């Protein structure tokens, strides 16, 4: 794939396997007026622009992107369009009530289908396959932990059709790992090629009349204005959709912590490998560990596998040099071969990473301050491929002042507290990362499930 040499795409498999060249759209060159200014051309910003344009084609919508559409997490993630949400149902129910928590998760499940519907309707070849998610018990201590997760889901109203425990034979009938003691299956997830989805969405919104300016870094947002080095966009509504890059905006350094997740991908694997492993349903795959891993079988028959463990960088630093860690890449490779020994001789063709956004209370949120016209969405803690679509639909309703069911969901209007100043932020986040890994090591040695404390700390890095 060729790209404009002055603005390379993000590292990794997804941009390297786009069907055509990435040609940056023109930068903003002067002050302009708009009805809505969206800061960030990732999933959140583009879904918001999409639903606004569909609802009111007369709106003047401008999307501003520092690099190219999909450069951030939207073009680097594991390609799980899931119904996962960063905060627990218990956390939501404590402040909004049990029914509100149930309503939010029901809408997230619908969102998985909505993404597929729009991709099909708009002709976006995102390689969307709704194969569900399989969480495999690969160690004895995983069995009780995963079975407890099934019981937890059922206690919150999920049926057997939503989440079910599979025995070892049933699990291996879907995906055969080196050790398989059973697993949990949910149908509420689709595998996607995230860069195809986000780049296709950018094309769709442009055709709908939205203006997208790439290579236009926003340095400050305020009531009625988004400022760049190239000019200002004056708008009634200014929407912050910057996720892991939020800390780079003036005045927002402590709003979301940029925590890095890294991935590797193999070369395309031969038919004999898939005869041995199965994976015909294209399920997304994880296992029972706390320091979460996530994998998919790609459309061209690679394994793309990611995981947490990279450190948080002091003062919420976001730099290209943070996109890789030899230690984490090596650990991911070991995990891949441990799960699938037949892939031991397969080349690792891609290694990459990027920041995701973590709020202080791990509660993703979306909202609009009608007094200032400032809106926001994010803090997905790694679960943004699906959740960003719900955010975009919700923001559209908020901007258009539509009294829909979406604007009453419990994450709407939530404001997370700011992270602590440094060095407390650095100590706390990296301490949580280390503790999540430590609970896995203890569980592996003892054969007993990690305590819930460890699982909750793992949510900081895996969502």
């Amino acid at each position: 794939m060729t790209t404009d040499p002055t603005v390379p795409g993000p590292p990794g498999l997804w941009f390297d396997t786009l069907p055509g060249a990435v040609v940056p759209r023109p930068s903003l060159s002067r002050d302009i007026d708009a009805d809505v200014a969206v800061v960030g051309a990732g999933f959140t910003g583009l879904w918001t622009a999409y639903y606004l344009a569909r609802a009111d084609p007369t709106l003047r919508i401008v999307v501003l992107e520092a690099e190219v559409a999909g450069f951030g997490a939207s073009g680097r993630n594991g390609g799980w369009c899931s119904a996962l949400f960063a905060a627990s149902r218990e956390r939501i129910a404590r402040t909004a009530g049990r029914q509100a928590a149930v309503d939010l998760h029901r809408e997230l499940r619908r969102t998985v289908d909505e993404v597929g519907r729009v991709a099909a309707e708009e002709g976006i070849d995102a390689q969307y396959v709704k194969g569900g998610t399989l969480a495999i018990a690969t160690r004895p201590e995983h069995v009780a932990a995963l079975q407890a997760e099934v019981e937890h889901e059922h206690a919150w109203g999920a049926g057997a059709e939503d989440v079910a425990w599979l025995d070892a034979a049933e699990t291996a009938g879907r995906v055969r790992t080196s050790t398989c003691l059973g697993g949990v299956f949910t149908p509420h997830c689709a595998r996607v090629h995230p860069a195809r989805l986000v780049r296709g969405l950018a094309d769709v919104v442009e055709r709908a009349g939205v203006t997208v300016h790439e290579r236009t870094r926003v340095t400050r947002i305020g009531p009625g204005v988004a400022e760049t080095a190239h000019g200002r966009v004056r708008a009634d509504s200014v929407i912050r959709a910057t996720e892991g890059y939020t800390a780079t905006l003036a005045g927002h350094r402590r709003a979301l912590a940029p925590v890095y997740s890294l991935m590797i991908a193999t070369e395309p694997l031969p038919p004999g490998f898939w005869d041995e492993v199965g994976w015909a349903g294209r399920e997304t795959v994880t296992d029972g560990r706390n320091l979460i891993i996530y994998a998919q079988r790609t459309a061209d028959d690679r394994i793309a596998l990611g995981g947490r463990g990279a450190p948080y960088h002091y003062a919420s630093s976001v730099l290209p040099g943070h996109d890789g860690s030899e230690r984490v890449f090596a650990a991911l490779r070991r995990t891949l071969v441990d799960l699938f020994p037949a892939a031991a001789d397969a080349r690792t063709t891609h290694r990459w990473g990027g920041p995701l956004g973590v709020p202080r209370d791990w509660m993703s949120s979306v909202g609009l301050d009608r007094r200032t016209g400032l809106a926001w969405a994010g803090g997905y803690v790694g679960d943004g491929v699906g959740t960003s679509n719900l955010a975009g639909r919700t923001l559209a309703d908020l901007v258009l002042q539509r009294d829909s069911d979406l604007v009453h969901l419990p994450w709407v209007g939530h404001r997370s507290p700011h992270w602590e100043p440094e060095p407390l932020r650095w100590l706390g986040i990296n301490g949580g990362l280390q503790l999540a890994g430590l609970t896995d090591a203890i569980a592996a040695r003892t054969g007993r499930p990690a305590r819930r404390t460890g699982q909750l700390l793992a949510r900081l890095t895996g969502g």
Side-chain angles (χ1 to χ4, degrees):
M1 184 194 73
T2 59
T3 58
D4 184 312
T6 63
V7 185
L13 173 69
W14 308 125
F15 264 62
D16 276 357
T17 53
L18 285 171
V22 176
V23 179
R25 296 168 172 86
S27 303
L28 180 70
S29 60
R30 58 184 176 84
D31 291 355
I32 61 173
D33 294 324
D35 297 307
V36 180
V38 179
V39 182
F43 284 135
T44 299
L46 292 172
W47 281 125
T48 302
Y50 174 79
Y51 288 106
L52 282 170
R54 287 291 300 269
D56 185 354
T58 69
L59 284 176
R60 298 168 299 167
I61 305 168
V62 176
V63 179
L64 304 170
E65 167 57 42
E67 302 289 349
V68 295
F71 183 87
S74 298
R76 308 186 191 209
N77 61 79
W80 286 38
C81 181
S82 75
L84 296 172
F85 192 77
S88 69
R89 289 174 177 81
E90 289 81 1
R91 161 73 176 78
I92 298 167
R94 281 197 298 272
T95 55
R98 179 183 176 88
Q99 189 58 50
V102 170
D103 290 345
L104 176 58
H105 280 267
R106 182 181 298 118
E107 193 57 49
L108 285 165
R109 289 170 178 167
R110 292 173 181 157
T111 296
V112 177
D113 294 324
E114 172 67 5
V115 171
R117 183 195 68 80
V118 174
E121 182 177 291
E122 299 292 352
I124 301 173
D125 181 12
Q127 299 173 350
Y128 176 103
V129 178
K130 191 182 178 187
T133 294
L134 185 65
I136 302 173
T138 57
R139 298 173 184 167
E141 67 272 15
H142 294 171
V143 173
L146 289 175
Q147 289 177 337
E149 289 299 317
V150 174
E151 294 174 3
H152 178 262
E153 291 291 320
H154 290 172
W156 281 92
E161 71 280 6
D162 295 310
V163 59
W165 171 257
L166 307 181
D167 64 26
E170 292 170 319
T171 303
R174 289 181 174 272
V175 180
R176 288 182 288 280
T177 51
S178 58
T179 303
C180 176
L181 305 175
V184 176
F185 178 75
T186 173
H188 301 297
C189 187
R191 179 216 71 186
V192 299
H193 185 302
R196 280 175 171 258
L197 179 57
V198 69
R199 298 292 299 177
L201 193 56
D203 293 339
V204 167
V205 301
E206 276 197 315
R207 292 197 296 270
V210 174
T211 300
V212 181
H213 288 296
E214 296 178 318
R215 298 185 293 184
T216 303
R217 184 178 302 277
V218 173
T219 56
R220 189 187 76 85
I221 59 175
V225 65
E227 296 184 359
T228 82
H230 308 278
R232 294 183 172 190
V233 178
R234 295 177 291 265
D236 296 331
S237 298
V238 178
I239 298 172
R240 172 173 60 79
T242 47
E243 195 57 1
Y245 295 82
T246 299
T248 65
L249 279 173
H252 290 78
R253 185 171 295 277
R254 291 166 56 195
L256 293 175
V259 175
Y260 278 73
S261 188
L262 307 185
M263 292 195 71
I264 62 172
T266 68
E267 63 184 330
L269 299 172
F273 174 86
W274 300 110
D275 290 341
E276 179 176 336
V277 169
W279 214 338
R282 307 280 173 163
E283 299 89 344
T284 55
V285 170
T286 184
D287 70 5
R289 73 189 72 196
N290 281 305
L291 203 57
I292 290 174
I293 61 165
Y294 47 95
Q296 67 152 280
R297 176 181 176 180
T298 68
D300 61 351
D301 285 337
R302 305 170 189 262
I303 296 176
L305 182 143
R308 316 309 191 209
Y312 160 80
H313 298 277
Y314 195 84
S316 295
S317 174
V318 178
L319 295 170
H322 302 337
D323 291 343
S325 163
E326 291 299 325
R327 175 183 60 81
V328 176
F329 287 142
L332 290 174
R333 176 70 189 189
R334 288 194 299 271
T335 297
L336 187 149
V337 174
D338 180 57
L339 293 173
F340 306 106
D345 295 330
R347 288 187 303 117
T348 297
T349 58
H350 294 80
R351 309 191 308 171
W352 73 98
L356 51 89
V358 181
R360 180 61 182 84
D361 58 0
W362 309 348
M363 179 72 179
S364 311
S365 64
V366 56
L368 168 64
D369 184 336
R370 299 209 177 278
R371 180 180 58 85
T372 63
L374 293 173
W376 74 93
Y380 304 125
V381 198
D383 294 326
V385 178
T387 311
S388 60
N389 175 274
L390 178 57
R393 287 185 283 139
T394 305
L395 282 170
D397 285 349
L398 289 170
V399 169
L400 297 172
Q401 300 188 44
R402 299 195 296 198
D403 188 25
S404 68
D405 291 341
L406 300 186
V407 304
H408 296 289
L409 291 173
W411 70 323
V412 177
H414 175 79
R415 292 186 181 271
S416 298
H418 281 176
W419 282 95
E420 290 79 2
E422 298 291 17
L424 296 178
R425 186 158 75 250
W426 183 89
L427 290 169
I429 295 173
N430 284 320
L433 289 165
Q434 292 177 11
L435 187 54
L438 180 61
T439 58
D440 284 324
I442 293 172
R445 287 200 302 269
T446 63
R448 295 192 299 271
R451 292 184 301 171
R452 186 66 178 168
T453 301
Q455 295 172 0
L456 289 173
L457 283 167
R459 298 295 290 176
L460 174 62
T461 54

